[in-house]
Amino acid sequence: MNKVNSKTLLKGDSTIASGENKDCVVYSIATAFDMSYDEAHKEVADRFNRQDGKGTSRNQIVEGMTEGTTINGKTVSKVIKAPTKTYKVYGNVVPRQLRLSSFIKNNQEGTYVILTKGHALTIKDGTIMDNLDRTKERALVEVAFKVD
């Protein structure tokens, strides 16, 4: 799986990023909506009530990014909560929540903001854009936002 470190990609142009932590949502919004870190920082603070140096709750993100939400000229076209895939186990069809790696395999085209437990990242045309060096590809996808 291809991966781009969004911290390396965006931090150089920012006056705010070096003093921040718990800012995965800022990096995810910046990479998904083609914004600078500083623009995304302001957007996340305004839209999701994020305070400097503190994380953003999943509920605030889900409430602030509904279908039709427009940020920087791009629109959230679809919200997928707990995406699943069905498997056949001992003759029974069982739905299972998708892991990040399976979600990427199924969605090789397009841009998605992904929420996993306690983390946010972007998938762009099958490439992971994450501010962490080690993305947990086995993490379950809790919510996916399709961005067009």
Side-chain angles (χ1 to χ4, degrees):
M1 253 174 253
N2 296 332
K3 183 174 182 230
V4 173
N5 188 312
S6 56
K7 193 176 275 193
T8 306
L9 187 68
L10 297 169
K11 206 170 193 173
D13 298 334
S14 175
T15 57
I16 303 170
S18 60
E20 274 288 355
N21 57 15
K22 298 182 182 178
D23 55 350
C24 59
V25 173
V26 176
Y27 281 106
S28 183
I29 295 298
T31 54
F33 292 93
D34 295 329
M35 305 169 79
S36 71
Y37 180 94
D38 292 354
E39 291 169 329
H41 189 274
K42 182 176 179 353
E43 182 69 35
V44 170
D46 293 346
R47 187 174 297 273
F48 308 128
N49 285 335
R50 181 184 181 272
Q51 296 176 356
D52 291 351
K54 298 193 177 189
T56 309
S57 82
R58 182 173 62 92
N59 290 341
Q60 289 173 310
I61 299 166
V62 171
E63 288 171 12
M65 280 190 24
T66 56
E67 288 182 16
T69 299
T70 300
I71 300 173
N72 200 36
K74 295 185 178 247
T75 304
V76 175
S77 62
K78 191 175 191 182
V79 178
I80 309 162
K81 294 184 180 178
T84 58
K85 181 177 181 181
T86 55
Y87 295 91
K88 198 167 189 175
V89 180
Y90 300 113
N92 298 318
V93 176
V94 180
R96 296 263 170 90
Q97 195 169 348
L98 282 180
R99 296 192 183 279
L100 182 59
S101 57
S102 297
F103 186 89
I104 294 167
K105 284 178 191 172
N106 295 340
N107 298 281
Q108 286 290 307
E109 293 182 8
T111 301
Y112 296 86
V113 173
I114 305 292
L115 302 182
T116 62
K117 186 174 183 175
H119 190 57
L121 56 111
T122 300
I123 305 298
K124 254 189 183 177
D125 296 327
T127 299
I128 299 170
M129 302 185 91
D130 193 1
N131 66 316
L132 298 179
D133 290 328
R134 299 186 67 171
T135 301
K136 295 179 181 175
E137 294 174 14
R138 293 188 46 82
L140 296 174
V141 176
E142 292 185 355
V143 184
F145 303 91
K146 173 93 167 88
V147 177
D148 292 319

